[in-house]
Amino acid sequence: MSANPFRGKAPAAAVPRVISEFVLSASGPEQFPKEVDPEIAFLGRSNVGKSSLINALVGQKGLAYTSSNPGCTQAINFYRVGDSGYFVDLPGYGYARVPEARRLEWKKLIESYLLERQVLQLAILVLDARRGWMEKDRDLRRWLEVHHRPCLVVATKMDKLKNQSERQHSLASLRQGADEVMLCSALTGRGVREIWQAITKTRSSQ
Ligand code: GDP
């Protein structure tokens, strides 16, 4: 596997291992790392499966924190992936039990990252394949469009759809919100290779 996944070829195996490490957790823009290398950001509702997707992409189970306790991360986590890029895990949104003040903090933190980060190459909006588009996902997608931030929509937890009819129903509703939605499962590794290809394509087109 290339040590430079942002520039090299997409991994051949379904779950490759990419040398990666946690760099820092930032609760404000002043803590963000210096803008040197390209960044791929991951966005989505709490518990949607963002951390698991990051772990599946790097082939390393414990890199990003995964939890069945939604709403617990309120910081932006930076991971060095390969030798010239970062994955950036943005705190999950839409958890009902989070107080309004915390919601506003989330908005401020996320917007400061998404608006000002020059090295941001791609925002990956993660959806739960069983739940499809929720209002906040649509809002965020529109917001990214308005601000000209490239966005890739990924529906994860596909393994939870048990039969053909569930899969077809999910796909139809996912496609109502975006022309292209990539399907994946952190559990089985489905779609990991295709997501890497999309990341590599974005990298080479910029
Ligand atoms: P995050 O809050 O968005 O980072 O979500 P996590 O990655 O912590 O995942 C939330 C829960 O969903 C955890 O219990 C994960 O094990 C589970 N999960 C995440 N991705 C998948 C998947 O692709 N398939 C299945 N079956 N479970 C998943």
Side-chain angles (χ1 to χ4, degrees):
M1 164 70 228
S2 160
N4 181 349
F6 287 71
R7 294 202 177 112
K9 287 182 185 162
V15 187
R17 187 181 159 91
V18 181
I19 295 168
S20 323
E21 60 175 358
F22 170 75
V23 176
L24 60 84
S25 196
S27 51
E30 67 289 349
Q31 294 167 353
F32 295 167
K34 264 201 349 215
E35 296 194 62
V36 180
D37 292 324
E39 293 176 358
I40 307 291
F42 293 78
L43 288 152
R45 294 171 62 80
S46 295
N47 220 31
V48 74
K50 265 184 307 107
S51 312
S52 305
L53 176 60
I54 290 173
N55 290 339
L57 285 166
V58 299
Q60 200 173 313
K61 271 203 171 119
L63 181 69
Y65 180 69
T66 65
S67 152
S68 48
N69 181 13
C72 52
T73 331
Q74 278 299 323
I76 298 185
N77 293 321
F78 291 81
Y79 302 95
R80 178 160 273 283
V81 174
D83 62 8
S84 71
Y86 288 89
F87 277 180
V88 181
D89 189 8
L90 300 179
Y93 51 86
Y95 183 53
R97 275 192 253 154
V98 169
E100 188 56 22
R102 204 145 159 226
R103 244 187 270 279
L104 289 173
E105 272 172 36
W106 178 91
K107 198 165 178 282
K108 220 171 111 193
L109 180 63
I110 299 284
E111 289 187 357
S112 68
Y113 175 83
L114 291 172
L115 283 177
E116 283 153 37
R117 208 70 181 156
Q118 303 290 325
V119 288
L120 174 63
Q121 286 191 324
L122 179 68
I124 297 188
L125 177 58
V126 186
L127 306 179
D128 183 329
R130 294 166 308 170
R131 301 184 201 284
W133 290 92
M134 312 290 266
E135 203 184 329
K136 285 208 161 53
D137 304 318
R138 293 182 201 278
D139 290 349
L140 187 53
R141 179 138 204 276
R142 272 194 292 269
W143 188 92
L144 289 164
E145 262 173 22
V146 167
H147 293 281
H148 308 290
R149 287 310 210 180
C151 174
L152 174 73
V153 182
V154 168
T156 189
K157 303 192 186 179
M158 280 304 288
D159 62 281
K160 292 210 176 199
L161 302 176
K162 291 297 173 216
N163 54 48
Q164 191 61 10
S165 134
E166 279 189 21
R167 285 189 284 272
Q168 275 174 357
H169 180 77
S170 158
L171 202 56
S173 91
L174 286 165
R175 288 200 172 134
Q176 280 175 7
D179 294 340
E180 199 189 348
V181 179
M182 302 193 83
L183 308 178
C184 77
S185 161
L187 194 72
T188 65
R190 173 181 177 180
V192 164
R193 182 181 155 85
E194 288 77 8
I195 297 170
W196 266 121
Q197 283 169 338
I199 291 173
T200 306
K201 198 168 146 202
T202 307
R203 177 74 185 102
S204 52
S205 69
Q206 287 178 3

